[in-house]
Each structure stands twice: as C-alpha cells, then as structure tokens.
Amino acid sequence: MCSLLVKSLLAVVSLVFLLMQGVVPGCAQTASSEMPVDKHPGPEPRTADSETPDQRSTPPAPANVSPAASSDGFFKRFGKAYWDDWHPKPSNDPDPPFRGYPAPESDPPYPFTVWPIGGTVNIGQPFSVSYPLMTALYTGKHGDWWKKSRIVMYGWANAGFNFSSSDTSRGKYGNAPAAYNQIPNSIQLDQLTFYIERQPDTVQKDHFDWGFRFTGLYGLDYRFTTGKGYFSQQLLNNPKPDGTIGNQYGFDPVMFYIDLYFPHVAQGMDLRVGRYISLPDIEAQLAPNNYTYTHSLVYTYDCYTQTGANATIKLSNHWTVQGGISAGCDTAAWKPDAQWTGNACVQYTWGEGADNIYICDNSINSGKYAYNNLTAYYATYYHKFNEKWHTATEGWYQYERDVPNVNNPIGVTLTQTNANGAVCNELYEVTCFAPEWAIVNYTNRLIGKKDFISFRNEFFDDIKGQRTGFKAKYSEHGLSWNHWIGTTLMFRPELRWEHAYNHVAYDSGTRHSQFMFAADVIWFY
C-alpha cells in the first residue's frame, strides 16, 4: 500500500512538472475556448465539501489576470499571477449569466457566495478558476487547450498555531475535544492540498455535461477526514509509544467523484458518484470553506465523508431535493463496517435568496455500532439581515445503537479503534443506546471587501459520551477575524473559550474549561 501511494504521488508530481513546462502529452493544441467567468469573486459558491462542504472546497479566483499568451517562463508567469492578484486593477467585465436568485454574499471574504448545499455542484451558478497555477498554464504554450478542456488544478498550503490553557504534559492532543488543532501550544501544517477537477456547466439547459474532482490532502487534519479503508492504516490500529494512535501527519484522498448533469430533469439534476463530503453542515473539512480556523464541536463530532451516489434535483428557485445511497459514514464499501445507507434532504430558499433552510436525514440505516455509523438528522438555517450582517444556525440529533459500555468488562472488548464506546447508565449493561444533540450559531459582520468578523456560540450534549469520550454537556464561544490579501492569501486569528459542565474533559481529562488563541494562514496556488 505504501509503495502504491509513493508511486502515485511520484506520478502526480511528474505530471505537474510536465504541465509546468507547457508539455501536454498526447494532446494537440486547439482553438481557444474561454472558460465562463463567475460574476462573483469566488468561482464556485462553496457549501459544507458538507461538500457543504464540498461546494465550499473551491477557493476564490484571483482577479485581473490576463488570458493572453506570454513568452515568459512558467515560474515568471506564476509569480506575475500573484502580483496581479495583490495589485488589482478596476474591472468592467459584465456579469456572466446565472439561473436562480442572485448570490447573497461575496467570496472573498466569506467562504461561499450562495447558501451551502452539499453533495452537488450549485445548479445554475457559473464556475471559473484562474488561480496562479492555472493562470500560468493559461498564458503558456498550451493555454488554449487548458481553457477548452475546462480542467483545472489548484490547491493551498494551510498552517496554524495556538496558545492554549491546556498543555501536552498529560497528553499530546490535550486541546481535545476542540478541533482540529488538538496539540496545545504548537505550530502545525494543517493541510497541503492538491485538486484536479472539471465542473459541469449547469447554467445552460441545452445539453448533458459532466465533471469530476480528485482531492488529495496531507497534514494534521487527515486525522479527522480519514475513512476506514482509504489509507486508514496511518491512523487506525497504529498505536504509538506515548499512548496516542496514528501518525501525527498523514495523507487522505478526501474526495474522488464524477458529476453527471442532466439539464432536462426539472430545472437540472446533478448525479454525484464516488467519495464526497457528507451533505449537511455549515462547516467543511477543507480549510477555506469555513468562517473560522478552529471548528465547532457540533461539526467535529458528526459524519465527514460518504462513498456512494447522490442525486440533486433543482425543482425551482425555491425548492431543491436530494436523495442518495452510500456505504455509510467514513468507511469504504469493502470494509465490514459498511452498511447500505440512504440519505434524503430538502432545501428551501426565499426572500430573493436572503433566507434558506436545509433539512437532511443524512444516514438512514440501523444505526448499529460500527466505525462512525451514525444515524443523524440535521437542520440548517441562513438569514441575511442587510449588506453587513448575516447569520447561520445548525442543529442536529444523532445516535448509535448497541454501543459497547466502556464500564463493562465485556463491553470494553467490543470497542473499535477511534470509535468510542458509551458511558451507559448501568454497569451491567454490555451495550446501550447512545444519543447526542447539539446546536451552533455563527453571526457574521462584514467590515470590508476583504474582512469580516465572526461570532460563534454553541451547545453540545454528549449524553452518553460516545462522541467526545466524556459524558458531558459543553458550551463554546469564539470570536474570529478573517482578512484577505487579494484572493490568494488569507489570515484568520481567533479567540475561543469552552467549558464542560459536568465532567473534566479538557487538558487530557483534567480541566472543565479551556481558553485558546489560535490563528492560521492559507496560501492558494
């Protein structure tokens, strides 16, 4: 497996090197075909990559980049793309066509333009990518081929640090249950990503179109995105001498799927097949898709990815419905933990796009204890008050059945690595029903074209301790500032305070409360 991974990575690196040199093996140069230009600063209105996520997994495109061919070398063109992005010139380009309500927000500074919906492209919205890597390729020898193909490559490097009231003296990941930056008082590489994708044109209703996406992620955050069966040996069944599990850093092919667009089904249907980000949620796995650097507890302890097929049908400007089937949460179809799992969601938008509610039954199966085999019900509501303020609220109820009792000697033998047991009511219970519920609110204030402030408040009741490992009620409160330089560099400092009311859960289970100052930087390429 390791040999296969190394060979695959070397192949990708070799391909990228050839592309940098303007060599496209086996491809003749074709006539120019310009890509559609998004009316919004960001190319794809990004959701939660879920996939609410997934839609939010595309960073904004740099402005004022010239598509004209250049005789300069690749790296000079690459550097010039950053210079142009950081020194923008006024643009009088007309808005491209779109279907549906106008986007309520802009990207940047927000992580999306239209309210998030997962497991699909945003039907009716244009898509454009001109990140520095693609700008350098567009202005090279085979630029016309790249434009016509609509295949794009991009990614980012995301690193962060934190100062925490917890420390590592009692455990390496002492900031837990907070996430993703669980190592106290440290600097870490959170994500180094590479995307290659093509998105179907869903603005038009004339013809079938298709797309695909592959996303590779390396960094600390693989510890949260890992699905059982996808290079999961890096994390699971990999105990360390210090008592932790798994490598600190690792690789995850977090998304690989195809999109099939059928324009004549209602107002358009997208069928997504492969591994994709779980549908609901305000937040997402990929760093740029979030209001803040750290994640809420609400997001941290639910489903992350699913492997299967999901259909999204846009019925009208108001209504969108979804249905799908997968192998379950965070597991490959060939693993024993896999179960046939359905999902059904409905999204309703009104107020000329200012209001949106998104309701999902994300995991329709038995809910029997397995690797993250959650049954979960979600509701998310977005509202734009005015040009400066909007709010996003999410609540969920989820559970697993027949969860092993961590206080019963037989129950302990039934637990899986990285799949907590439960603190059942009675010691004699070998297994029990383990539910939890949570709610989070983000209230956001725009303070400039490149800046916004986000206030986060949440409450989480881990009724049997099955999600966090502690039978506790939690509240968490945060304040974050997002600042952009151009559309390729973002800073996110924040303050965060949280409290476990009826159990010591922080600092490796020794404190009720935790205070943290954290910040990250994201550099897009």
Side-chain angles (χ1 to χ4, degrees):
M1 183 68 76
C2 291
S3 175
L4 177 61
L5 173 60
V6 170
K7 291 178 181 178
S8 300
L9 291 175
L10 287 174
V12 170
V13 170
S14 300
L15 174 61
V16 172
F17 178 78
L18 289 172
L19 295 172
M20 287 178 174
Q21 306 309 311
V23 178
V24 184
C27 297
Q29 189 167 341
T30 63
S32 174
S33 175
E34 297 291 336
M35 294 180 62
V37 179
D38 194 344
K39 92 187 256 297
H40 312 297
E44 177 183 357
R46 306 194 302 254
T47 72
D49 184 115
S50 301
E51 295 172 346
T52 333
D54 167 12
Q55 304 315 317
R56 292 186 289 186
S57 56
T58 303
N64 299 296
V65 289
S66 172
S70 170
S71 60
D72 294 331
F74 171 83
F75 289 104
K76 187 172 182 179
R77 303 195 308 271
F78 187 59
K80 184 177 185 299
Y82 282 106
W83 177 265
D84 291 342
D85 180 57
W86 296 341
H87 302 82
K89 298 175 182 178
S91 174
N92 296 316
D93 293 338
D95 292 341
F98 66 96
R99 292 191 292 120
Y101 292 123
E105 295 297 352
S106 62
D107 173 7
Y110 289 116
F112 49 77
T113 56
V114 299
W115 307 125
I117 180 171
T120 180
V121 296
N122 282 280
I123 298 171
Q125 292 291 326
F127 177 76
S128 173
V129 170
S130 294
Y131 313 124
L133 173 58
M134 292 311 302
T135 300
L137 293 174
Y138 289 155
T139 54
K141 181 179 178 181
H142 295 283
D144 289 342
W145 182 90
W146 281 107
K147 294 169 190 175
K148 186 172 183 178
S149 74
R150 290 166 38 206
I151 295 173
V152 295
M153 299 186 298
Y154 59 92
W156 57 81
N158 173 219
F161 69 90
N162 73 88
F163 297 109
S164 173
S165 60
S166 299
D167 60 44
T168 58
S169 62
R170 286 169 287 274
K172 181 175 182 177
Y173 300 101
N175 281 343
Y180 289 162
N181 56 345
Q182 291 191 331
I183 304 175
N185 306 305
S186 66
I187 301 172
Q188 60 272 322
L189 173 65
D190 296 292
Q191 299 181 3
L192 180 62
T193 68
F194 173 75
Y195 280 65
I196 180 168
E197 71 173 311
R198 180 188 194 272
Q199 187 172 125
D201 177 4
T202 64
V203 176
Q204 57 83 24
K205 287 185 86 314
D206 298 326
H207 59 271
F208 168 83
D209 203 357
W210 60 275
F212 70 91
R213 171 180 286 175
F214 170 80
T215 302
L217 179 152
Y218 177 82
L220 182 70
D221 293 357
Y222 98 100
R223 298 179 62 86
F224 296 88
T225 65
T226 290
K228 198 170 188 179
Y230 298 118
F231 302 106
S232 53
Q233 75 281 357
Q234 301 168 95
L235 178 65
L236 307 179
N237 303 317
N238 186 11
K240 299 299 180 181
D242 61 3
T244 62
I245 63 165
N247 300 333
Q248 177 175 330
Y249 293 105
F251 170 79
D252 182 30
V254 68
M255 285 181 280
F256 47 86
Y257 58 73
I258 60 171
D259 278 313
L260 306 175
Y261 172 61
F262 300 90
H264 300 126
V265 179
Q267 294 299 309
M269 181 181 83
D270 179 66
L271 177 62
R272 177 162 293 177
V273 182
R275 186 186 184 201
Y276 45 85
I277 305 299
S278 176
L279 273 64
D281 287 319
I282 295 170
E283 300 166 54
Q285 287 84 335
L286 288 307
N289 311 154
N290 299 281
Y291 291 120
T292 61
Y293 170 37
T294 69
H295 285 280
S296 66
L297 298 172
V298 170
Y299 176 74
T300 301
Y301 294 100
D302 67 0
C303 186
Y304 277 67
T305 65
Q306 291 167 297
T307 303
N310 183 72
T312 301
I313 302 174
K314 184 180 177 70
L315 300 177
S316 67
N317 288 348
H318 291 299
W319 291 100
T320 300
V321 296
Q322 297 179 291
I325 190 166
S326 72
C329 289
D330 303 312
T331 186
W334 54 85
K335 302 301 289 186
D337 298 81
Q339 297 188 31
W340 287 113
T341 301
N343 65 265
C345 303
V346 58
Q347 184 187 61
Y348 181 71
T349 304
W350 72 100
E352 295 297 312
D355 290 271
N356 175 283
I357 188 167
Y358 186 37
I359 298 173
C360 279
D361 184 348
N362 189 54
S363 309
I364 306 171
N365 66 23
S366 67
K368 185 176 175 61
Y369 174 79
Y371 187 76
N372 214 28
N373 186 42
L374 294 165
T375 292
Y377 308 92
Y378 296 78
T380 305
Y381 172 61
Y382 299 89
H383 173 68
K384 183 175 182 177
F385 295 101
N386 52 44
E387 292 305 311
K388 297 294 185 182
W389 291 91
H390 82 256
T391 188
T393 302
E394 177 183 343
W396 53 244
Y397 173 80
Q398 58 187 26
Y399 63 83
E400 289 190 50
R401 301 180 186 275
D402 302 328
V403 180
N405 185 356
V406 296
N407 292 321
N408 180 285
I410 298 176
V412 170
T413 66
L414 303 176
T415 59
Q416 294 191 36
T417 301
N418 212 38
N420 293 332
V423 182
C424 301
N425 292 335
E426 305 294 341
L427 294 178
Y428 63 79
E429 295 179 277
V430 177
T431 64
C432 63
F433 179 71
E436 50 275 336
W437 68 273
I439 187 168
V440 63
N441 172 263
Y442 284 88
T443 299
N444 308 289
R445 209 282 186 180
L446 187 71
I447 57 176
K449 291 183 179 180
K450 301 294 184 181
D451 300 86
F452 75 91
I453 294 174
S454 186
F455 304 89
R456 182 174 67 206
N457 295 283
E458 65 173 318
F459 184 83
F460 177 23
D461 188 357
D462 195 357
I463 298 170
K464 296 292 179 67
Q466 199 274 325
R467 302 313 294 160
T468 66
F470 300 99
K471 187 176 180 179
K473 295 179 174 66
Y474 301 85
S475 66
E476 183 263 332
H477 313 277
L479 171 63
S480 174
W481 170 46
N482 279 39
H483 175 67
W484 288 80
I485 297 177
T487 60
T488 53
L489 192 59
M490 178 170 59
F491 300 93
R492 295 185 296 189
E494 67 174 83
L495 296 171
R496 172 182 178 136
W497 182 83
E498 51 211 306
H499 183 76
Y501 289 91
N502 49 339
H503 203 292
V504 285
Y506 293 96
D507 202 358
S508 302
T510 62
R511 295 184 181 182
H512 280 282
S513 301
Q514 180 171 269
F515 178 78
M516 186 190 305
F517 170 72
D520 73 336
V521 60
I522 304 175
W523 185 294
F524 299 94
Y525 67 85

